[in-house]
């Protein structure tokens, strides 16, 4: 596996962290290429739970880690996670942070929160960590980058320029308190000492690793359906989680990527607003949420739950150029006698399609066409190989693989690292 992208195939929270952690054992370097502390990775290693927001999951196993230019960084979260690494005996110098990544400034968080409040019933349901406003400023070219903290004069100038505009917005549009230049500057200049040892040339580090024949793992945060360009806009994040984002977000060419492993739950969850055709109606939704522990790592929000959606998954196979799939949390389905799977969408004009609708109105009004597979109704606790799965569980996995015309490489049957069957 010289270079592999791991990408969420649904709306996030597919259990990517655990798969990355597993593959990180065989990797020399793990890279995050987009997103920021809106991601929440829970990884259980040797009974110890790690909850990471900003760092690549590889740090858990002490693997060299990179945060690319395509990421946005909350300096405080980053520094806290450096401390966590130290506390748990991991050398923080394994982390390289791109100087070109953008900093989430305090006004970005305030604007994210205020703008969601203003949108009211039209809100996106963001994680309110300032992600969208930071990427918006990056595109508007008034962002503040990680490397700016290294020069107090440049930093002050950039904060001054940004605040001249932001404070007007904050006071006049959102009717909240403005930020004080002196205070923000002092706080961020203060981060310089903590950030400096981590700042490096992410593109060069990864290029060199690839040239040296090392195994490089690119870890997508969020997921395909939350992709700014190819997801269910506007209910998306503000970056490109899809596999090709790894090339732009790190600064390597697309020809350097050898394989793309998608990660999908054996069912679907979604946090935030937006259409969700296979969402379960009735009490089985709450049952699945409880069984799967489907509450946000970062926000604690209840996740909406649905049965597996093969139309959306087929789309994810396409836009990522997926070469294989990891199917996680199969064990969560063990209690159900029957397992509906969405195999097609019925569109408003009565036609049925296997392909994800290109037009938003078709998607908003799509109804699921179900095929119901038998459940196995027995625990998977003792199962340690794919061949030992109960017949209906194996059939479920094979059904997904056949429908997508894609090999399923890994199957998750429990929370711990070793509960992934290859
Ligand atoms: P933002 O990324 O905070 O701007 O949120 C935009 C959308 O992406 C919202 O629907 C969030 O719930 C969703 N989102 C962001 N990060 C994650 C994640 O790590 N898991 C699941 N959904 C996420």
């Amino acid at each position: 596996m010289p270079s592999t992208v791991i990408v969420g195939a649904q709306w996030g929270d597919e259990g990517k962290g655990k798969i990355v952690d597993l593959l990180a054992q065989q990797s020399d370097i793990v890279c995050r290429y987009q997103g920021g502390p809106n991601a929440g990775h829970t990884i259980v290693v040797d009974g110890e739970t790690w909850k990471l927001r900003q760092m690549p999951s590889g740090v858990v196993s002490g693997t060299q880690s990179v945060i690319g230019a395509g990421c946005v960084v909350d300096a405080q979260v980053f520094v806290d996670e450096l401390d966590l690494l130290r506390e748990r005996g991991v050398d923080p110098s394994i982390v390289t942070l791109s100087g070109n990544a953008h900093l989430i400034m305090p006004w970005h968080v305030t604007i994210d929160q205020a703008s969601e409040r203003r949108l009211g019933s039209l809100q996106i349901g963001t994680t309110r960590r300032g992600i969208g406003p930071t990427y918006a400023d990056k595109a508007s070219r008034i962002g503040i980058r990680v490397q700016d903290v290294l020069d107090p004069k440049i930093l002050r100038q950039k904060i001054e320029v940004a605040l001249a505009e932001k404070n007007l917005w904050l006071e006049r549009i959102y009717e909240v308190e403005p930020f004080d230049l002196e205070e923000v500057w002092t706080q961020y200049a203060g981060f310089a000492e903590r950030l400096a040892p981590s700042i490096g040339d992410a593109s060069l580090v990864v290029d060199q690793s690839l040239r040296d024949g090392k195994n490089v793992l690119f870890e997508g945060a969020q997921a395909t359906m939350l992709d700014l360009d190819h997801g269910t806009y506007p209910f998306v994040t503000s970056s490109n989680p899809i596999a090709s984002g790894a090339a732009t977000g790190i600064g390597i060419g697309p020809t350097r990527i050898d394989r793309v492993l998608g990660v999908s739950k054996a069912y679907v969850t979604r946090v935030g607003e937006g259409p969700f055709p296979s969402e379960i109606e009735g009490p089985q939704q709450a049952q699945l949420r409880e069984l799967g522990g489907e509450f946000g790592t970062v926000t604690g929000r209840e996740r909406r739950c649905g049965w597996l959606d093969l139309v959306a998954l087929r789309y994810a196979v396409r836009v990522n150029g997926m070469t294989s799939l990891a199917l996680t949390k199969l064990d969560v389905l063990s209690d159900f006698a029957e397992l509906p799977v969405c195999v097609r969408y019925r569109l408003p004009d009565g036609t049925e399609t296997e392909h994800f609708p290109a037009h938003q109105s078709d998607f908003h009004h799509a109804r699921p066409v179900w095929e119901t597979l038998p459940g196995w109704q027995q625990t998977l606790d003792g199962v340690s190989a794919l061949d030992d799965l109960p017949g209906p569980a194996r059939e479920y996995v094979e059904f997904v693989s056949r429908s997508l015309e894609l090999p399923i490489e890994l199957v998750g049957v429990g929370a711990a690292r070793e509960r992934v069957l290859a």
Side-chain angles (χ1 to χ4, degrees):
M1 46 161 288
S3 82
T4 302
V5 180
I6 296 195
V7 61
Q10 300 168 314
W11 276 277
D13 310 310
E14 295 92 349
K16 287 183 299 288
K18 193 161 60 121
I19 303 293
V20 174
D21 169 54
L22 191 81
L23 296 194
Q25 320 292 312
Q26 309 145 32
S27 306
D28 300 300
I29 176 164
V30 180
C31 314
R32 264 195 65 179
Y33 54 88
Q34 47 69 230
N38 47 345
H41 293 166
T42 308
I43 307 157
V44 185
V45 183
D46 301 331
E48 194 171 41
T49 302
W50 290 74
K51 282 185 192 284
L52 295 172
R53 286 164 53 190
Q54 187 79 68
M55 297 276 178
S57 307
V59 294
V60 168
S61 40
T63 308
Q64 192 189 352
S65 295
V66 165
I67 299 179
C71 295
V72 291
V73 178
D74 184 315
Q76 189 61 56
V77 174
F78 182 80
V79 163
D80 288 346
E81 291 188 0
L82 281 181
D83 289 339
L84 179 73
L85 293 186
R86 208 171 278 118
E87 268 165 38
R88 298 203 174 174
V90 178
D91 178 1
S93 72
I94 58 170
V95 181
T96 301
L97 170 61
S98 167
N100 290 353
H102 278 247
L103 283 175
I104 300 173
M105 300 301 287
W107 52 87
H108 293 133
V109 179
T110 306
I111 291 171
D112 198 1
Q113 293 167 352
S115 120
E116 283 284 273
R117 267 200 308 276
R118 247 172 89 85
L119 282 170
S121 62
L122 295 177
Q123 68 172 244
I124 292 159
T126 73
T127 59
R128 304 193 177 204
R129 307 286 155 165
I131 307 298
T134 308
Y135 278 113
D137 280 357
K138 168 182 172 174
S140 302
R141 292 152 298 182
I142 54 162
I144 295 175
R145 298 193 296 175
V146 165
Q147 59 179 295
D148 293 329
V149 301
L150 297 177
D151 185 326
K153 247 171 77 184
I154 291 181
L155 179 66
R156 190 185 170 93
Q157 227 172 35
K158 293 203 172 182
I159 295 177
E160 197 170 4
V161 169
L163 277 185
E165 184 194 315
K166 298 300 167 189
N167 277 344
L168 279 180
W169 272 87
L170 290 169
E171 287 185 290
R172 302 217 183 141
I173 310 285
Y174 296 121
E175 297 173 336
V176 293
E177 287 295 308
F179 284 93
D180 178 65
L181 167 64
E182 214 58 49
E183 249 174 58
V184 179
W185 179 58
T186 311
Q187 185 191 3
Y188 277 77
F191 280 127
E193 203 183 324
R194 295 298 317 277
L195 296 183
S198 306
I199 300 175
D201 186 338
S203 160
L204 187 63
V205 168
V206 175
D207 179 69
Q208 202 54 57
S209 301
L210 289 167
R211 282 172 193 275
D212 292 346
K214 292 190 174 166
N215 291 332
V216 181
L217 197 60
F218 300 95
E219 171 185 7
Q222 291 83 48
T224 305
M225 292 311 209
L226 294 172
D227 186 276
L228 180 60
D229 293 293
H230 301 285
T232 48
Y233 191 91
F235 304 102
V236 294
T237 192
S238 299
S239 62
N240 290 112
I242 60 167
S244 42
T248 46
I250 293 293
I252 52 153
T255 50
R256 311 294 290 284
I257 295 167
D258 297 310
R259 52 170 219 160
V260 177
L261 172 65
V263 184
S264 165
K265 274 180 192 160
Y267 50 96
V268 189
T269 62
R270 174 164 201 183
V271 234
E273 308 305 318
F276 183 1
S278 71
E279 187 164 18
I280 300 171
E281 290 166 7
Q284 281 186 324
Q285 169 153 190
Q287 189 186 352
L288 189 54
R289 181 179 304 121
E290 284 302 322
L291 287 167
E294 297 298 353
F295 302 90
T297 312
V298 174
T299 58
R301 285 186 290 180
E302 277 189 358
R303 295 179 184 145
R304 298 158 67 193
C305 298
W307 301 117
L308 191 64
D309 180 346
L310 289 178
V311 180
L313 209 46
R314 186 172 291 111
Y315 176 69
V317 172
R318 165 161 46 110
V319 296
N320 288 297
M322 229 179 259
T323 52
S324 64
L325 189 73
L327 198 65
T328 62
K329 298 186 100 165
L330 187 67
D331 54 307
V332 174
L333 297 180
S334 295
D335 279 8
F336 297 94
E338 292 189 326
L339 298 167
V341 174
C342 172
V343 290
R344 290 184 299 281
Y345 289 164
R346 186 169 300 116
L347 301 180
D349 66 3
T351 59
E352 291 186 6
T353 179
E354 280 192 337
H355 297 292
F356 196 76
H359 196 287
Q360 59 189 1
S361 299
D362 282 339
F363 177 58
H364 283 229
H365 297 109
R367 301 293 305 154
V369 177
W370 302 111
E371 192 158 325
T372 302
L373 304 189
W376 43 96
Q377 293 195 286
Q378 65 187 84
T379 174
L380 302 184
D381 280 356
V383 175
S384 53
L386 281 179
D387 284 344
D388 299 340
L389 282 174
R394 217 170 41 231
E395 174 50 30
Y396 189 87
V397 175
E398 281 165 9
F399 181 79
V400 175
S401 175
R402 266 199 315 277
S403 306
L404 300 175
E405 299 175 71
L406 192 73
I408 294 185
E409 200 179 329
L410 300 165
V411 177
V413 291
R417 179 194 261 176
E418 59 280 3
R419 301 300 293 143
V420 178
L421 313 178

